Amino acid sequence: MTAMVRAEGVTKRFGPVEVLKGIDLTVAPGEVACLLGPSGSGKSTFLRCVNHLERIDGGQLSVDGELVGYRRQGDRLYELKAREVAVRRRDIGMVFQRFNLFPHLTALGNVTEAPVRVLRTPRAQAREEALRLLDRVGLADRAHHYPSQLSGGQQQRVAIARAMAMRPKLMLFDEPTSALDPELVGEVLDVMKGLAADGMTMVVVTHEMGFAREVADQVAFLDDGVVVEVGPPDEVLGRPRHERTRAFLDKVL
Amino acid sequence: MTTTDTPAVRVVPVRHYGRWLTALVVAGLAALFLRALLTSPNLEPGTVAHYLFQDYVLDGVLTTLWLTLLAMVLGTAGGILLAVLRLSDNPVLRGVSWTFIWVFRGTPLLVQIIFFGFLGALFPRITLSVPFTGTVLFDRPTSVVVTGTVAAVLALSLNEMAYAAEVIRGGILAVDGGQTEAAAALGMSPTLTLRRVVLPQAMRVIIPPMGNETITMLKSTALVSIIAGRDLMTAVQSVYQNNYKVIPLLVVAAIWYLALVSLLSAGQWLVERRFGRGFARGGVR
Ligand SMILES: Nc1ncnc2c1ncn2[C@@H]1O[C@H](COP(=O)(O)OP(=O)(O)OP(=O)(O)O)[C@@H](O)[C@H]1O
Ligand SMILES: [Mg+2]
């Protein structure tokens, strides 16, 4: 079976600073992988590489068997044009720490925009599916609200519905609950647990250890641009083998 | 002592004594000014009323209005293009845009108007032909193609493009980078992102200065009198040069300009309301 995400020796530098120093990670279809690690360890950067918001400098990165950002023809790699990259991104949903909803569109508009404009789904059908998704994240009654009229937790749930509307085969979450008040974290995690239960493949950067323990199939601990330790949550979180993992867990738990 | 056991407290809003005082002073000054105006021997309200609706004045009003609107529409369209070029990754396109803006902002509008008005002196004929075949598709004297009116529209709109480009570029840069990323993550192409996500949000920042641009344009149309004429200001000037009733006729012009500006401001208000949707302040839901 092809891996949904396969990273082999992925490196990335910003100017003189090497931020990713050879990341190896494999995520099978239907799996939930949680990335942990201290601030600046490269978690966001790696996640952004997966849908080519950042270009990698070395190694190989593929999603569902297709190289990210390149097309292979014979023994050559051709860099994809912006338009081709956009086509590949349709299958990868992303949820951001700061929601990034479109403020000039209602919740419903946010969810229907990409299906209508990118996939050319008929408007009525897109609307119907959007309402179903909003209902699923518990926001059926907020469809006609603008993002500025929603709480942080509600905005993040709209953002998840917006990503799901493209029917992605992979969802990326970058600290989806870090910008939320503590009492709003639960409602977003519940939606994510629902997605995981439905078999969605997910890569989640998070500091929510409870979520990682409960939902993750594998947990990867990143530090200083490398994967220090990877394995099932009860091993990595319960019996960490590396000193750096232990030190980090001591601090966050 | 806590407030819970205090009986029925009356809330007294802040009293704005200052507002009453300013209102009084302003009303007094306005009355004095109005009296001075009405008793002036040169204002001649009758003359103003007589000229206000003369055919040539109304023609001037119409000319000024359509020149302004046409120049602003072309200027805005070109401005968007120039702004996008200036923000593009392609260094050649960036350079082209930068040079255009440099030239058209760097030289006086009056010079540009005269230049286009006398384009025929520089390039006597305009010729379009297929290279290497000798087939001529188009060949006319410049003065026939670029008439006074065409030259006026050309000068005003090209000049406006340069200014609009900078206003629009500022608006685009004001949109949060997270918006472009969110659009990209949804598989939207760069053009689609610009059209559906970035520009609609940039509009909020772009509209007020573009309102200014439009009002400036309204008055700049007076400059085309040298090559084309018949705008409001020119019409009024030609009358007072004959009858020397300078003040009343300038009042006629001022009244019309004010009316046009009010009309445009109302339009701006509507557009602002439209693009303010979803933003907490200054918009209907
Ligand atoms: N666009 C950029 N230009 C230069 N340096 C960058 C850029 N983006 C990230 N970095 C640097 O790369 C390193 C890794 O950043 P990254 O955002 O991936 O960390 P992170 O693990 O997500 O941290 P956090 O938990 O704080 O979000 C940091 O040192 C950061 O300063
Ligand atoms: Mg991060």
Side-chain angles (χ1 to χ4, degrees):
Chain A
M1 187 161 56
T2 37
M4 188 54 82
V5 179
R6 184 188 299 281
E8 289 168 74
V10 170
T11 61
K12 167 75 193 172
R13 50 171 64 250
F14 288 114
V17 192
E18 190 158 54
V19 173
L20 302 181
K21 301 174 178 167
I23 299 273
D24 297 304
L25 188 75
T26 306
V27 183
E31 234 183 19
V32 176
C34 283
L35 304 185
L36 311 178
S39 183
S41 55
K43 306 180 298 291
S44 300
T45 306
F46 175 70
L47 210 61
R48 293 159 56 79
C49 287
V50 173
N51 68 354
H52 208 49
L53 286 175
E54 302 286 358
R55 200 175 131 178
I56 65 175
D57 294 318
Q60 282 211 347
L61 185 56
S62 58
V63 170
D64 202 20
E66 285 189 325
L67 284 177
V68 172
Y70 298 91
R71 179 163 37 88
R72 180 173 304 170
Q73 221 161 50
D75 56 355
R76 287 197 190 174
L77 289 186
Y78 293 91
E79 197 173 347
L80 296 180
K81 297 199 182 73
R83 195 164 280 281
E84 300 169 295
V85 173
V87 172
R88 294 267 184 97
R89 287 200 188 111
R90 292 174 186 179
D91 295 335
I92 306 172
M94 186 154 188
V95 175
F96 301 87
Q97 182 173 352
R98 284 172 49 242
F99 327 136
N100 296 352
L101 288 181
F102 305 134
H104 59 300
L105 300 177
T106 59
L108 185 64
N110 267 277
V111 182
T112 53
E113 180 68 15
V116 170
R117 301 281 162 181
V118 177
L119 302 179
R120 309 238 162 257
T121 310
R123 193 172 284 280
Q125 186 190 335
R127 191 187 148 87
E128 205 175 296
E129 281 170 26
L131 288 172
R132 198 159 45 232
L133 281 165
L134 285 173
D135 186 38
R136 187 165 152 197
V137 299
L139 291 173
D141 56 335
R142 295 286 189 279
H144 299 288
H145 286 54
Y146 285 95
S148 63
Q149 300 167 309
L150 299 172
S151 75
Q154 291 170 335
Q155 288 188 51
Q156 193 61 301
R157 285 185 279 150
V158 172
I160 294 174
R162 174 175 73 173
M164 291 298 296
M166 294 295 284
R167 301 176 179 277
K169 49 192 180 195
L170 170 67
M171 286 279 284
L172 309 174
F173 295 83
D174 191 0
E175 301 198 33
T177 57
S178 296
L180 299 178
D181 290 339
E183 75 270 21
L184 301 178
V185 169
E187 63 191 48
V188 172
L189 291 183
D190 285 343
V191 169
M192 292 168 62
K193 284 175 196 168
L195 293 186
D198 287 350
M200 174 58 69
T201 315
M202 298 163 47
V203 180
V204 185
V205 174
T206 186
H207 294 300
E208 295 294 330
M209 296 302 156
F211 177 83
R213 217 182 291 273
E214 185 183 339
V215 181
D217 297 292
Q218 61 169 331
V219 171
F221 174 71
L222 269 73
D223 194 11
D224 201 19
V226 292
V227 177
V228 175
E229 191 163 349
V230 61
D234 46 332
E235 272 179 29
V236 176
L237 301 177
R239 302 183 296 282
R241 283 172 291 137
H242 287 261
E243 187 49 46
R244 281 196 275 176
T245 319
R246 232 171 283 147
F248 174 74
L249 291 175
D250 279 348
K251 255 183 272 171
V252 295
L253 289 179
Chain B
M1 207 218 255
T2 59
T3 47
T4 41
D5 49 31
T6 324
V9 179
R10 209 163 64 91
V11 178
V12 183
V14 178
R15 298 224 162 104
H16 299 284
Y17 300 112
R19 285 187 195 171
W20 290 103
L21 195 68
T22 38
L24 224 67
V25 172
V26 169
L29 288 175
L32 284 177
F33 179 67
L34 217 67
R35 199 188 60 176
L37 213 58
L38 291 175
T39 53
S40 156
N42 287 327
L43 185 67
E44 303 179 34
T47 317
V48 172
H50 170 74
Y51 283 108
L52 198 54
F53 295 105
Q54 290 295 332
D55 281 349
Y56 44 87
V57 172
L58 292 180
D59 275 352
V61 170
L62 269 185
T63 306
T64 288
L65 192 62
W66 75 252
L67 256 182
T68 303
L69 293 182
L70 188 58
M72 285 312 292
V73 167
L74 294 176
T76 308
I80 293 176
L81 184 69
L82 283 171
V84 171
L85 293 187
R86 261 209 86 178
L87 293 170
S88 101
D89 293 332
N90 184 330
V92 179
L93 297 180
R94 269 204 314 268
V96 167
S97 175
W98 185 89
T99 310
F100 183 100
I101 295 170
W102 177 64
V103 170
F104 280 89
R105 282 203 314 180
T107 54
L109 176 57
L110 189 60
V111 173
Q112 291 166 26
I113 289 172
I114 295 171
F115 176 85
F116 281 104
F118 296 95
L119 202 62
L122 205 58
F123 310 110
R125 297 187 77 78
I126 294 179
T127 310
L128 192 69
S129 59
V130 184
F132 312 121
T133 58
T135 321
V136 175
L137 300 173
F138 184 92
D139 181 45
R140 296 270 168 78
T142 303
S143 55
V144 173
V145 183
V146 185
T147 59
T149 311
V150 172
V153 171
L154 227 74
L156 290 176
S157 51
L158 288 176
N159 183 265
E160 182 52 40
M161 280 177 204
Y163 283 94
E166 288 297 276
V167 169
I168 292 164
R169 187 169 69 99
I172 290 176
L173 291 176
V175 177
D176 178 31
Q179 293 292 307
T180 324
E181 285 199 345
L186 286 166
M188 294 172 74
S189 68
T191 7
L192 187 62
T193 304
L194 181 74
R195 200 159 57 78
R196 295 289 305 174
V197 176
V198 175
L199 279 182
Q201 293 182 58
M203 287 303 274
R204 257 169 30 98
V205 183
I206 292 172
I207 293 164
M210 284 310 281
N212 261 347
E213 288 293 309
T214 311
I215 289 168
T216 307
M217 177 63 74
L218 194 71
K219 292 176 272 185
S220 300
T221 53
L223 292 176
V224 306
S225 57
I226 312 157
I227 55 168
R230 290 301 133 223
D231 70 283
L232 174 56
M233 198 59 210
T234 316
V236 168
Q237 268 168 352
S238 56
V239 179
Y240 71 61
Q241 272 156 10
N242 286 326
N243 65 8
Y244 301 107
K245 294 189 184 299
V246 179
I247 302 286
L249 277 152
L250 285 180
V251 170
V252 167
I255 289 174
W256 275 115
Y257 277 117
L258 263 179
L260 291 178
V261 168
S262 310
L263 198 73
L264 294 174
S265 302
Q268 178 178 343
W269 180 77
L270 286 174
V271 179
E272 266 181 31
R273 202 176 58 152
R274 164 69 183 78
F275 285 100
R277 282 196 304 207
F279 292 88
R281 291 213 286 160
V284 290
R285 306 276 179 217

